[in-house]
Structure formats: C-alpha cells, structure tokens
Amino acid sequence: MEFRYKAAGDSSILMELDVGIDKDINKLIIHLSNIIEEKTSEGFGEVIIGYRSLLVQYNPLTMSYYQAVEKLKQLKFAENNKSHEKRRHIEIPVLYGGEVGPDLESVAIHNNLSPKEVISIHSEAHYLVYFLGFTPGYPFMGGMSKRIATPRLENPRISIPPGSVGIANNQTGIYPVESPGGWRLIGQTPLRLYNQQAKQPFLLRAGDSVTFKEIQIDEFNEIKKQVELGDYIPVIKIDNNNNIYTDSQKGGISYL
C-alpha cells in the first residue's frame, strides 16, 4: 500500500491511497497527520484530512516539492507503525422528526420503513468521524446502515439551521452552522458543534466515535438552554473504559 504524491498548488502536496473508505485507513491517515504537523520546524504546516488522503502544506522557501515528498516518504516508512492515538466516544442527543426533521417521513417511505424504525436504526449505530469539511466542524461519518440510505434532495435547501442531522445516500452528518445543503433532515441536536470563541472550536474531530441518542422536546429545550448558558457538558468517553471525562469550559462544550 503506497501513497501517490501530487503537487497541489505551489506549497501543498496531495498524498492519496488507492483504497476505499476503511476504518484502519482512517487510523493511518490521522496518525500520519499528527506526525507531519509535529514537523513544523522542518518546513511542514497544516495537514487537511480526507477519507484516504492528506493535503500537506510545506514551505517552498525552505525546500522544493521533490525534497518535501522525500521527507514525507521517510516519515511514513519510519513511523507509520507506531501505536495509534486514543479515541473518544461522543454521545449526541437528537430530537427526531417534526419541524426539526422534516425529511424523516420521506426517508422512511424510501426505505419501506416507519419513522420509528428509521429513528431506531439511526440511533443504534456507531459512527466514525472520518474528517471535517464543507463548513467549519462538519463531520463526515461512516457506519450508517444501508437500510436507511436515501438520496440527497433534488433541490437543496437555501438555509439549514445549525445542529440539523441529515442523511445523504449512505452517510449521515450534522450541520454545525447555518448553511445551504441537500441532505435530508431527520432531526436536530441542541449541542453546539462549532464555537469560534472557544480555545478548541470543534466538538468533534477526525477519529471520534459517535452515537446518537433520541430525546424528546422537553429534554431538547432543557439541553439547548444549558448550552446557551454555557452549562451543558456532553458525555465523552475515552477508549470505552467507562471513564467519563468532562470539562467546564465556557460554551458548554468539552474538547478533551
């Protein structure tokens, strides 16, 4: 399994693997990203993660494209077998259907299911955050059941509220900020996925494990109120060892 290297502008390199979407590949991509970002003194900068790729920025004033590629190859072969970083599990509460999930019914009809069955299938799965993109903090997640896979809307919405949970084909995602979008909306979380005022602005990050928990309107309103006051702390577990880590950081988000 070898990376392909391509120039991406005058100061970036695209590293790609010719493989499909895979959890082990995701671990490798995240691990290499962390290694490369530690090499700022050697001329490397930000690394942007994809499903099977890395976009690596480098300083063209200190090394050429070919020199940067050689350094990346050496890093990969020398260090890619290190143990991978610990992973977090985040529980996302969701109010399904109604005004906040206007497409729940169409997802159910498309898959010959009831809305309750769609909710059950969606909330029982464990999802992996492969990378963030599209808008700040938007998680692209794998692990959704094919039983509720549904095509995107033919006519995307102009504005989608933050926290909206959607389905597009075989993926599910959460809109962190108000934006246009064509994913079918099945619910909404009261949590804030993006807080530009926070030291660590994103609730989720690549490599996280996510589950959705169905809540009702009263709990949704209560959590939303706590989030707005900066008093709500999401449930975050590390390595499934039953240790729950919390943080009282202003904004009601834990970024451990």
Side-chain angles (χ1 to χ4, degrees):
M1 184 171 58
E2 297 291 336
F3 279 95
R4 294 194 305 269
Y5 298 85
K6 300 178 182 177
D10 59 0
S11 60
S12 296
I13 297 170
L14 180 64
M15 300 171 57
E16 287 185 303
L17 286 170
D18 189 18
V19 294
I21 299 174
D22 181 86
K23 291 182 179 180
D24 290 332
I25 296 299
N26 178 249
K27 289 180 182 179
L28 173 62
I29 291 295
I30 293 172
H31 183 61
L32 291 178
S33 171
N34 292 334
I35 291 174
I36 295 168
E37 287 191 334
E38 291 174 355
K39 305 295 182 180
T40 54
S41 61
E42 298 183 19
F44 291 109
E46 183 181 6
V47 180
I48 300 173
I49 296 173
Y51 279 117
R52 55 185 180 84
S53 66
L54 295 164
L55 183 65
V56 183
Q57 295 182 349
Y58 68 96
N59 187 349
L61 299 179
T62 60
M63 58 180 157
S64 69
Y65 164 78
Y66 297 102
Q67 289 173 325
V69 168
E70 286 305 312
K71 283 190 175 184
L72 290 173
K73 287 181 178 179
Q74 292 171 12
L75 285 176
K76 182 174 79 74
F77 289 121
E79 304 186 60
N80 69 0
N81 59 354
K82 285 187 175 180
S83 61
H84 297 305
E85 292 73 13
K86 290 183 177 181
R87 295 203 170 199
R88 310 182 309 163
H89 171 82
I90 296 90
E91 182 180 272
I92 305 291
V94 177
L95 175 64
Y96 287 96
E99 293 183 2
V100 298
D103 300 317
L104 177 62
E105 187 74 28
S106 66
V107 171
I109 292 172
H110 178 80
N111 292 285
N112 297 314
L113 298 168
S114 69
K116 287 186 178 181
E117 287 174 318
V118 172
I119 294 171
S120 178
I121 294 168
H122 186 264
S123 60
E124 287 175 357
H126 285 256
Y127 301 90
L128 173 64
V129 178
Y130 280 88
F131 64 96
L132 305 179
F134 172 51
T135 60
Y138 192 104
F140 283 83
M141 296 185 282
M144 194 184 77
S145 171
K146 294 180 180 178
R147 295 173 62 196
I148 56 174
T150 310
R152 295 168 181 260
L153 294 172
E154 292 184 6
N155 298 306
R157 292 182 171 91
I158 295 175
S159 178
I160 293 176
S164 295
V165 178
I167 287 175
N169 300 314
N170 62 345
Q171 290 184 296
T172 190
I174 310 169
Y175 287 82
V177 297
E178 182 179 350
S179 67
W183 292 43
R184 294 182 186 265
L185 307 183
I186 62 171
Q188 188 178 104
T189 178
L191 300 190
R192 183 185 299 174
L193 272 70
Y194 173 61
N195 180 4
Q196 63 181 351
Q197 304 300 326
K199 184 178 180 180
Q200 298 292 335
F202 306 127
L203 173 61
L204 301 178
R205 60 192 183 212
D208 283 344
S209 171
V210 170
T211 54
F212 294 100
K213 176 187 176 183
E214 182 184 9
I215 59 174
Q216 303 305 315
I217 185 63
D218 290 346
E219 189 174 1
F220 177 90
N221 290 333
E222 178 59 29
I223 294 175
K224 186 175 182 180
K225 180 180 178 180
Q226 292 181 37
V227 169
E228 291 172 351
L229 293 173
D231 295 331
Y232 186 78
I233 301 170
V235 175
I236 297 179
K237 298 180 181 180
I238 297 181
D239 281 353
N240 296 320
N241 59 5
N242 295 321
N243 291 323
I244 300 176
Y245 295 78
T246 59
D247 184 9
S248 59
Q249 180 175 332
K250 186 177 180 180
I253 296 178
S254 176
Y255 299 107
L256 292 173

